[in-house]
Amino acid sequence: MLRRVLGGRRGGALPPLPPTRAAADQTPPDLARERSKAVTSFYHQPAIDIAAEKPSVRLTPTTMLYSGRSQDGSHILKSARYLQQELPVRIAHRIKGFRSLPFIIGCNPTILHVHELYIRAFQKLSDFPPIQARGDEARYCALLRQLLEDHKDVVTLLAEGLRECRRHIQDERMLRPFLDKTLTSRLGMRMLAAHHLALHEDKPDFVGIICTRLSPKKLIEKWVDFARRLCEHQYGNAPRVRINGHVAARFPFIPLPLDYVLPELLKNAMRATMESHLDTPYNVPDIVVTIANNDIDLVIRISDRGGGIPHDLLDKVTEYHFSTAEASAQDPRLGGPFRNFLDLSNSGQACPMHGFGFGLPTSRAYAEYLGGSLCLQSLQGVGTDVYLRLRHIDGKGESFRI
């Protein structure tokens, strides 16, 4: 049975066992047993079990900011040694999560492929020798870059795998804890790895991935331009976007999570606006983005006049959806052709959430992971206000940990 399950897998299939002289004399049942042992040892490694029992050591952005510089460059080696200890533990936690999935879902070839990506990442990171000198650290950076590339499509693969399993999923909400934890843990690991790699760069106003003087207005403008180009390509026009509020605000912040969330929220607002004004596509209402900055957090409100979200869908738009594709026809925020175009057009690091029905729930999970929230207020028949609230990394309140 296990061979049959594994046999239909896509690119992440297990490597074949090396041929041996004894294997030539083995009967097919013997080969099957040997293959089964190899598969079992791959999925159930004692080192993974041991690492999964260890607690994760999460850092505050303030710690990352003030430990990201040193006169002698020792901060680079300290950062690498921290990652060498921490990343295998976090990956082991995620492997444990995959093991806890219902059997019929865990055996899906696409989900298995992601599971195997995590196991291989654990092996590569655990087998890396202790980092003693700069040469070791340089090789470790190369490994991090390779793993970031290998895992860049994990969100898409998870969405595809769960769609393939949809007839076996009775209640999508049962998978929310797994998806929230897997996606936010992935974000945290990518932020830590990207931060370490960025410590080698000398960019003005940056320490690693932390911008010491972030302008939310400029960041919003960047993603507005991006989303408008996509919208114009899809619909022939795009709503104008007006930005108001604390437009001159600057403060230390990590732009990377916003690079995921902002395109998703702006895309949703533009699509809702265009699809609710199909009769007048060249005369559509503006989208208004308001920035509110205070001592505790940053609030970004995105207001559209796209008709609002129907009452029966309002509670569902921040839940993961992978079983009812028909829902996308009822409300633009649940998926559709514009989502596909975004996926194709923006496959790099700052990519909006991939996969049908994952955009808003993943944005919500990211906001909560960063000590904030994502809330929607809908005026049915008029439009929707989305409130993204993110805690400051140096504010008066307790900071989040990565």
Side-chain angles (χ1 to χ4, degrees):
M1 170 64 76
L2 193 52
R3 278 187 85 188
R4 213 160 47 239
V5 168
L6 295 172
R9 180 175 306 116
R10 48 202 292 161
L14 291 169
L17 290 173
T20 63
R21 183 174 298 176
D25 301 324
Q26 287 178 322
T27 62
D30 293 332
L31 289 171
R33 279 192 292 271
E34 186 173 333
R35 173 65 173 169
S36 179
K37 288 179 182 178
V39 168
T40 301
S41 64
F42 177 80
Y43 282 99
H44 298 283
Q45 301 175 35
I48 295 176
D49 299 328
I50 294 170
E53 296 303 314
K54 296 179 181 179
S56 176
V57 180
R58 294 173 63 181
L59 301 180
T60 65
T62 306
T63 300
M64 295 167 61
L65 177 63
Y66 290 108
S67 63
R69 286 176 176 163
S70 64
Q71 290 185 342
D72 59 0
S74 60
H75 64 288
I76 297 284
L77 287 178
K78 289 178 182 177
S79 172
R81 289 166 184 158
Y82 162 74
L83 288 182
Q84 189 172 32
Q85 295 295 318
E86 181 66 12
L87 290 182
V89 171
R90 297 196 185 196
I91 291 173
H93 289 171
R94 292 304 89 233
I95 294 171
K96 187 176 180 181
F98 278 96
R99 291 175 178 175
S100 69
L101 285 172
F103 179 78
I104 194 68
I105 297 174
C107 285
N108 170 269
T110 311
I111 300 296
L112 270 175
H113 175 51
V114 179
H115 188 170
E116 290 173 8
L117 282 174
Y118 276 88
I119 294 175
R120 287 197 175 86
F122 179 87
Q123 289 176 326
K124 291 177 180 179
L125 290 166
S126 299
D127 292 345
F128 198 90
I131 299 172
Q132 305 289 352
R134 283 298 183 91
D136 302 328
E137 189 272 335
R139 287 188 292 276
Y140 191 71
C141 285
L143 175 59
L144 290 179
R145 292 188 187 94
Q146 176 197 335
L147 292 177
L148 286 172
E149 176 66 19
D150 291 346
H151 287 245
K152 72 180 189 300
D153 295 326
V154 159
V155 182
T156 307
L157 293 169
L158 282 174
E160 289 178 359
L162 291 172
R163 263 204 317 276
E164 293 163 3
C165 299
R166 60 185 177 271
R167 67 180 181 275
H168 305 298
I169 300 173
Q170 301 298 322
D171 187 353
E172 294 167 341
R173 290 172 296 181
M174 293 181 61
L175 288 173
R176 173 171 167 171
F178 167 78
L179 287 168
D180 277 0
K181 191 64 181 175
T182 299
L183 296 175
T184 56
S185 175
R186 175 181 182 271
L187 174 66
M189 287 188 283
R190 291 184 80 85
M191 288 171 70
L192 290 175
H195 180 69
H196 178 75
L197 295 172
L199 288 176
H200 290 272
E201 303 171 5
D202 188 18
K203 290 175 61 178
D205 298 328
F206 271 86
V207 176
I209 61 170
I210 302 173
C211 180
T212 57
R213 297 182 68 251
L214 179 78
S215 167
K217 178 176 181 286
K218 288 187 176 180
L219 191 62
I220 292 167
E221 287 174 339
K222 178 181 81 169
W223 289 116
V224 164
D225 290 343
F226 170 79
R228 291 193 82 242
R229 288 197 303 271
L230 295 181
C231 189
E232 288 169 356
H233 186 280
Q234 185 74 18
Y235 297 101
N237 191 30
R240 291 190 310 162
V241 178
R242 293 184 284 117
I243 303 174
N244 60 27
H246 296 147
V247 294
R250 284 184 178 269
F251 44 78
F253 206 76
I254 303 174
L256 182 60
L258 287 171
D259 285 338
Y260 283 93
V261 176
L262 283 176
E264 181 65 29
L265 301 183
L266 290 165
K267 174 262 295 185
N268 283 338
M270 290 188 183
R271 180 164 186 246
T273 300
M274 295 306 299
E275 297 209 346
S276 64
H277 294 81
L278 292 176
D279 294 336
T280 58
Y282 294 98
N283 183 23
V284 296
D286 295 352
I287 293 169
V288 181
V289 180
T290 304
I291 300 167
N293 184 44
N294 58 72
D295 292 340
I296 303 297
D297 55 17
L298 161 72
V299 186
I300 298 174
R301 181 183 66 187
I302 300 177
S303 302
D304 68 60
R305 293 298 174 262
I309 304 171
H311 292 85
D312 59 332
L313 292 178
L314 188 56
D315 293 335
K316 300 177 181 178
V317 293
T318 54
E319 298 291 338
Y320 298 98
H321 294 278
F322 33 77
S323 64
T324 51
E326 295 80 9
S328 64
Q330 301 178 49
D331 187 80
R333 291 167 182 78
L334 296 183
F338 194 33
R339 179 265 308 166
N340 294 331
F341 187 74
L342 270 168
D343 292 346
L344 293 171
S345 303
N346 196 31
S347 58
Q349 173 178 292
C351 184
M353 270 45 70
H354 299 79
F356 171 77
F358 270 46
L360 278 176
T362 308
S363 297
R364 170 197 52 75
Y366 284 178
E368 292 171 358
Y369 176 76
L370 299 171
S373 62
L374 181 71
C375 302
L376 284 76
Q377 296 288 335
S378 182
L379 283 72
Q380 284 78 10
V382 178
T384 301
D385 289 354
V386 179
Y387 294 84
L388 174 64
R389 188 179 293 271
L390 297 173
R391 189 176 291 274
H392 279 307
I393 67 176
D394 63 344
K396 292 181 179 178
E398 181 181 355
S399 181
F400 58 89
R401 291 178 177 267
I402 297 171

